[in-house]
């Protein structure tokens, strides 16, 4: 009977363990499946085509070129490899400027022919048309239909997922925004965190430690939205007046908030690392006439180096994945920042802000999943780095 | 023998770890350029007593000392004594080899560097001299830039001795320096102690009775925090006055 119970408990543990693993795996698979779908979506909005006149030598345009043409930044066909003529933009609605509505027929049955003739008659036209209004005898030339390319996704510099006729899914500003904010955070958090860790491990007496440690661990328990709120009402206005900025919502504000949030992790891990320096190592140094400070920076810190590195990487990991606080204080402009004093938009903030308004299953929706994949890969790399670093540490021995 | 200078002296020393009375009223004189061995069973206080002379026990919380420890006639627990200066003068070799995670060269140079020596030429010269005195130079002269962890245990321990000697102390405290080593390495260390006696006063704690007999001029036997007997090593081993000393060295307990 007892044996049976033991087997039962073992079985339950095994099942719950494997269920958890399977669930996690399924989530990752789901993430990537949805994300990869992006690269099977057409560049041009579903159900629409881009067309030019038969006489136009241009056969295909990149998403960025299309956007610039429709934004009026490219105005001549020469700029995209055509002849030296001004581009004429034609959107579907413009048809009524050429033909009065009465001529379309009762059920718009003549509309396809009219569209066809407009495109035929204007040699410099680029037309953005719904597919369903193209007649069988359409006289224009359809531009090549391409799917969104991974190259444009990973190296594109523009993130305008809702722009028409061609949405821009360039993830580079978001990746850079995330890295900027996280890097800034770690640059701020590391000196403070290390200082506190050294103080706690080497200098503070027992009573001080007993007070400080719980307080620091308490920091980790504050919800991130509270940090975001604090950042918004305290740090953002402060930075704005300090650097005389037009807006205070900048990458730096995000870095400061994230630094505060990453501190507990960095302090705890670094303090542990410093604390594990063998006593004989300290005694050897002191025994040679070194004072406490010399011992700390010549022996203890080098010895704890890998542990401190692990603390940094864990801190970055915390910063990179953070959503709410960053969303609240960084300004969320999807541009590649030149300095820390400009607004940026991070990957998690983008997902949180846009998922609600992206139609499920559409390219925008899939692009957000792909962003999730990018974030997943970044944090995975960081976790593996921590494993390698701490693995090296335990195998080094003395 | 009488005209020999007294290097280290303990006067009625009592030492406590919190409430535990670890050393009880110890008096001892150690002459310059002699080797003194402390023997006794584990927990008898001999290591604690040794560590009093470079104030290594200061690192342990809740300890308390009464009585006087003198170096060259000066109380080393006097407030005016700078503990870093004291430790420069009283080197220590630990039970387990504990080189720093640095190169062989930097291990030996460490004591010089932390004491503000900037002259690289002098540092190089001292490192070589120290390694030679520790009988390690020939083995490591071609790999000074290698990590100290690449050396064998015995080599590491001699490196630690070289490291202690680089700053030219006048006293060397050795806390069971050979207990983690094989017999050949142990023999080398003992040979070294004989050599070093010319320039240093050496105090060595050991569990190995033969070692005490081989290397020391005088031997002190500790038991339960008391110094039971302290005399010429020959006398302790051949004709001890106390019965407990006799019992210990003949292996009846310990």
């Amino acid at each position: 009977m007892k044996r049976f119970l033991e087997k039962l408990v073992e079985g339950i543990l095994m099942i719950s363990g494997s269920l958890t693993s399977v669930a996690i795996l399924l989530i990752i698979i789901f993430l990537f499946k949805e994300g990869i779908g992006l690269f099977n979506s057409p560049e041009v909005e579903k159900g629409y085509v881009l067309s030019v006149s038969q006489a136009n030598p241009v056969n295909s345009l990149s998403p960025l070129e299309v956007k610039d043409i429709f934004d009026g930044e490219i105005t001549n066909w020469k700029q995209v490899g055509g002849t030296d003529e001004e581009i004429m933009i034609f959107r579907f609605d413009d048809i009524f400027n050429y033909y009065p509505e009465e001529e379309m027929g009762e059920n718009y049955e003549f509309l396809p022919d009219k569209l066809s003739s407009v495109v035929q008659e204007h040699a410099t036209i680029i037309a953005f048309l719904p597919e369903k209004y193209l007649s069988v005898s359409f006289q224009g030339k359809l531009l090549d239909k391409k799917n969104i390319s991974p190259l444009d996704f990973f190296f594109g510099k523009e993130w305008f997922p809702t722009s028409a006729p061609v949405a821009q899914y360039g993830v580079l500003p978001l990746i850079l925004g995330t890295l900027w904010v996280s890097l800034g955070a770690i640059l701020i958090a590391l000196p403070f965190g290390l200082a506190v860790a050294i103080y706690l491990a080497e200098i503070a007496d027992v009573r001080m430690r007993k007070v400080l440690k719980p307080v620091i661990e308490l920091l980790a328990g504050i919800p991130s939205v509270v940090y975001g709120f604090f950042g918004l009402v305290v740090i953002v206005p402060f930075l704005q007046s300090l650097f005389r900025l037009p807006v205070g919502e900048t990458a730096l504000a995000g870095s400061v908030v994230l630094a505060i949030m990453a501190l507990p992790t960095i302090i705890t891990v670094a303090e542990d690392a410093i604390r594990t320096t063998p006593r004989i190592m300290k005694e050897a140094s002191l025994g040679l006439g070194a004072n406490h400070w010399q011992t700390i920076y010549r022996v203890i810190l080098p010895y704890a180096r890998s542990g401190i590195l692990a603390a940094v990487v864990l801190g970055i990991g915390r910063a990179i994945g953070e959503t709410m606080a960053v969303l609240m204080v960084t300004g969320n402009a999807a541009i590649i920042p030149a300095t820390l004093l400009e607004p940026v938009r991070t990957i998690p903030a983008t997902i949180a802000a846009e998922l609600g308004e992206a139609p499920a299953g559409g390219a925008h929706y899939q692009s957000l999943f792909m962003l999730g994949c990018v974030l997943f890969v970044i944090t995975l790399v960081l976790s593996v780095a921590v494993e390698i670093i701490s693995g090296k540490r335990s195998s080094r021995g003395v | 023998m009488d005209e020999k200078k007294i290097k280290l002296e303990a006067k009625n020393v009592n030492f406590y770890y919190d409430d535990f009375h670890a050393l009880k009223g110890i008096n001892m004189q150690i002459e310059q350029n002699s080797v003194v061995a402390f023997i006794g069973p584990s927990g008898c206080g001999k290591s604690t007593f040794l560590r009093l002379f470079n104030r290594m026990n200061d690192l342990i919380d809740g300890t308390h000392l009464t009585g006087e420890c003198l170096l060259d006639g000066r109380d080393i627990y006097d407030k005016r004594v700078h503990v870093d200066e004291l430790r420069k003068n009283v080197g220590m070799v630990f039970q387990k080899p504990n080189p720093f995670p640095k190169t062989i060269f930097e291990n030996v140079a460490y004591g010089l560097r932390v004491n503000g020596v900037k002259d690289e030429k002098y540092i190089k010269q001292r490192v070589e001299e120290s390694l030679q005195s520790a009988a390690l130079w020939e083995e490591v002269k071609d790999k000074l830039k290698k990590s100290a962890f690449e050396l064998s245990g015995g080599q590491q321990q001699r490196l630690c001795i070289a490291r202690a000697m680089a700053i030219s102390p006048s006293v060397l405290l050795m806390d069971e320096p050979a207990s983690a080593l094989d017999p050949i390495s142990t023999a080398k260390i003992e040979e070294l102690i004989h050599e070093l006696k010319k320039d240093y006063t050496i105090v060595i704690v050991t569990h190995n009775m033969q070692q005490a007999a081989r290397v020391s001029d005088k031997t002190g036997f500790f038991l339960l925090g008391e110094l039971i007997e302290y005399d010429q090593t020959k006398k302790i081993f051949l004709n001890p006055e106390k019965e407990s000393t006799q019992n210990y060295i003949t292996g009846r307990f310990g």
Side-chain angles (χ1 to χ4, degrees):
Chain A
M1 190 62 200
K2 203 176 155 213
R3 248 187 93 71
F4 173 73
L5 272 178
E6 277 174 8
K7 284 281 168 207
L8 192 69
V9 171
E10 261 177 37
I12 291 171
L13 289 179
M14 197 192 80
I15 289 169
S16 58
S18 31
L19 274 183
T20 318
S21 320
V22 169
I24 292 170
L25 231 91
L26 282 179
I27 291 173
I28 295 171
I29 290 172
F30 172 68
L31 188 67
F32 275 88
K33 191 186 135 277
E34 290 289 320
I36 298 290
L38 177 68
F39 303 125
N40 292 324
S41 304
E43 287 173 345
V44 182
E45 213 172 314
K46 254 189 193 134
Y48 288 80
V49 289
L50 282 170
S51 168
V52 294
S53 143
Q54 289 287 4
N56 198 320
V58 175
N59 288 320
S60 75
L61 290 167
S62 76
L64 197 62
E65 285 166 344
V66 175
K67 176 182 162 285
D68 284 348
I69 288 172
F70 278 82
D71 283 355
E73 301 199 2
I74 294 178
T75 54
N76 197 307
W77 281 112
K78 206 172 66 178
Q79 287 167 273
V80 290
T83 48
D84 186 4
E85 280 167 307
E86 197 160 323
I87 299 174
M88 172 188 159
I89 298 168
F90 181 87
R91 290 191 177 83
F92 174 58
D93 294 353
D94 296 337
I95 188 71
F96 301 110
N97 301 340
Y98 296 86
Y99 300 97
E101 200 167 344
E102 299 84 68
E103 288 184 29
M104 301 297 170
E106 227 165 280
N107 297 315
Y108 289 97
E109 60 263 30
F110 304 123
L111 182 58
D113 292 338
K114 303 287 180 206
L115 287 174
S116 175
S117 48
V118 168
V119 175
Q120 194 180 9
E121 282 160 23
H122 300 89
T124 62
I125 202 169
I126 179 162
F128 176 47
L129 306 169
E131 234 167 345
K132 63 176 177 178
Y133 288 129
L134 293 186
S135 64
V136 195
S137 58
F138 183 68
Q139 290 302 312
K141 178 169 71 171
L142 297 184
L143 290 179
D144 288 352
K145 270 187 159 184
K146 288 175 296 177
N147 287 340
I148 294 167
S149 86
L151 219 64
D152 285 335
F153 180 78
F154 289 109
F155 299 101
K157 291 182 182 140
E158 307 253 2
W159 177 263
F160 290 112
T162 52
S163 93
V166 174
Q168 304 294 315
Y169 298 110
V171 79
L172 207 57
L174 308 181
I175 293 180
L176 288 178
T178 307
L179 294 182
W180 268 102
V181 172
S182 307
L183 195 75
I186 217 67
L187 286 181
I188 299 168
L190 183 62
F192 282 105
L194 199 53
V196 176
I198 291 171
Y199 175 74
L200 280 179
E202 282 296 316
I203 298 160
D205 60 22
V206 183
R207 258 181 306 154
M208 199 65 192
R209 257 178 65 77
K210 272 191 180 152
V211 177
L212 270 181
K213 273 221 92 158
V215 171
I216 288 162
E217 273 150 23
L218 201 68
L219 273 179
I222 299 175
S224 68
V225 67
V226 175
Y227 280 108
F229 185 61
F230 168 76
L232 199 58
V233 298
V234 179
I235 295 169
V236 166
F238 173 73
L239 290 177
Q240 188 174 0
S241 62
L242 184 68
F243 296 106
R244 301 174 197 281
L245 298 170
V247 283
E249 278 115 342
T250 55
L252 185 60
S255 296
V256 173
V257 172
L258 282 182
I260 300 172
M261 296 178 71
L263 269 180
T265 314
I266 294 182
I267 292 171
T268 315
V269 178
E271 194 221 344
D272 278 349
I274 292 170
R275 210 164 261 291
T276 52
T277 308
R279 212 181 70 171
I280 52 168
M281 212 55 93
K282 278 169 70 178
E283 286 184 348
S285 171
L286 293 169
L288 290 165
N291 63 34
H292 197 176
W293 280 113
Q294 288 170 324
T295 304
I296 288 173
Y297 77 75
R298 281 175 185 265
V299 175
I300 295 177
L301 289 187
Y303 196 88
R305 194 176 45 207
S306 53
I308 292 167
L309 211 59
V312 170
V313 177
L314 280 174
I316 295 179
R318 175 106 165 81
I320 281 185
E322 175 50 41
T323 310
M324 204 57 219
V326 181
L327 181 68
M328 290 169 81
V329 300
T330 52
N332 297 314
I335 46 170
I336 295 177
T339 71
L340 273 181
L341 295 175
E342 285 171 31
V344 294
R345 173 183 271 209
T346 65
I347 293 175
T350 307
I351 296 174
E354 292 179 9
L355 197 56
E357 59 195 47
H364 186 192
Y365 179 85
Q366 290 168 330
S367 74
L368 294 178
F369 274 92
M370 201 61 222
L371 277 184
C373 299
V374 171
L375 197 60
F376 171 75
V377 170
I378 294 176
T379 44
L380 187 71
V381 168
L382 287 176
S383 328
V384 171
V386 171
E387 280 300 312
I388 292 171
I389 292 166
S390 44
K392 240 187 206 162
R393 184 159 151 232
S394 51
S395 66
R396 187 172 67 179
V398 178
Chain B
M1 194 60 80
D2 290 86
E3 62 262 41
K4 262 204 160 177
K5 199 181 149 212
I6 302 299
K7 187 74 187 172
L8 292 167
E9 187 171 9
K11 281 185 180 167
N12 197 24
V13 163
N14 286 282
F15 190 78
Y16 306 84
Y17 293 105
D18 292 313
D19 295 334
F20 177 65
H21 197 173
L23 295 173
K24 298 167 185 169
I26 293 184
N27 289 290
M28 182 185 272
Q29 290 186 334
I30 294 171
E31 287 145 9
Q32 188 155 18
N33 296 356
S34 68
V35 177
V36 172
F38 295 168
I39 59 171
S42 298
C44 67
K46 57 194 189 302
S47 280
T48 303
F49 185 59
L50 183 80
R51 290 161 61 96
L52 281 180
F53 287 106
N54 67 346
R55 292 184 51 173
M56 215 35 117
N57 289 330
D58 291 13
L59 302 181
I60 302 162
D61 287 330
T63 57
H64 172 61
L65 170 83
T66 65
E68 284 182 327
C69 291
L70 307 176
L71 171 69
D72 295 324
R74 281 177 64 210
D75 186 356
I76 61 174
Y77 283 85
D78 189 294
K79 281 202 174 62
R80 280 165 299 183
V81 171
H82 210 292
V83 66
D84 307 335
E85 296 295 321
L86 169 77
R87 287 177 186 151
K88 259 174 244 178
N89 200 8
V90 184
M92 185 155 192
V93 178
F94 297 82
Q95 183 171 355
K96 259 170 76 182
N98 56 350
F100 299 123
K102 299 173 185 287
T103 62
I104 293 167
F105 184 90
E106 283 305 320
N107 260 280
V108 185
Y110 183 87
L112 298 166
R113 293 202 195 281
V114 297
N115 288 310
V117 179
K118 294 268 190 288
D119 183 354
E120 286 298 323
K121 228 175 110 191
Y122 174 71
I123 291 177
K124 227 175 151 184
Q125 177 200 337
R126 273 309 294 162
V127 168
E128 182 177 342
E129 284 169 5
S130 310
L131 285 169
Q132 258 161 356
S133 323
L136 193 60
W137 177 251
E138 288 303 319
E139 292 158 60
V140 302
K141 65 180 175 190
D142 297 323
K143 47 179 178 179
L144 292 174
K145 292 272 183 287
K146 290 264 173 68
S147 165
F149 291 147
E150 288 179 19
L151 299 176
S152 72
Q155 288 174 322
Q156 285 187 13
Q157 192 62 304
R158 276 179 286 147
L159 180 70
C160 291
I161 294 173
R163 182 174 70 181
M165 289 189 304
I167 48 172
S168 320
S170 57
V171 179
L172 265 184
L173 307 177
M174 296 184 165
D175 192 355
E176 301 185 44
S179 68
L181 304 182
D182 63 274
I184 293 167
S185 302
T186 303
K188 278 190 176 159
I189 302 261
E190 288 178 9
E191 219 172 283
L192 189 57
I193 291 171
H194 270 298
E195 283 296 311
L196 297 179
K197 205 172 112 172
K198 280 180 279 185
D199 303 309
Y200 301 87
T201 306
I202 295 172
V203 187
I204 177 169
V205 166
T206 178
H207 266 119
N208 181 332
M209 233 71 66
Q210 286 83 10
Q211 186 173 62
R214 282 193 298 261
V215 301
S216 67
D217 303 312
K218 277 184 152 188
T219 296
F221 171 61
F222 287 78
L223 186 61
L224 299 173
E226 284 177 80
L227 177 59
I228 303 294
E229 198 170 344
Y230 176 54
D231 212 326
Q232 299 299 324
T233 298
K234 259 187 203 145
K235 178 142 192 302
I236 293 276
F237 279 92
L238 296 177
N239 189 20
E241 283 179 6
K242 301 277 169 52
E243 203 191 332
S244 55
T245 314
Q246 176 77 36
N247 287 345
Y248 182 71
I249 59 173
T250 53
R252 244 167 262 172
F253 68 90

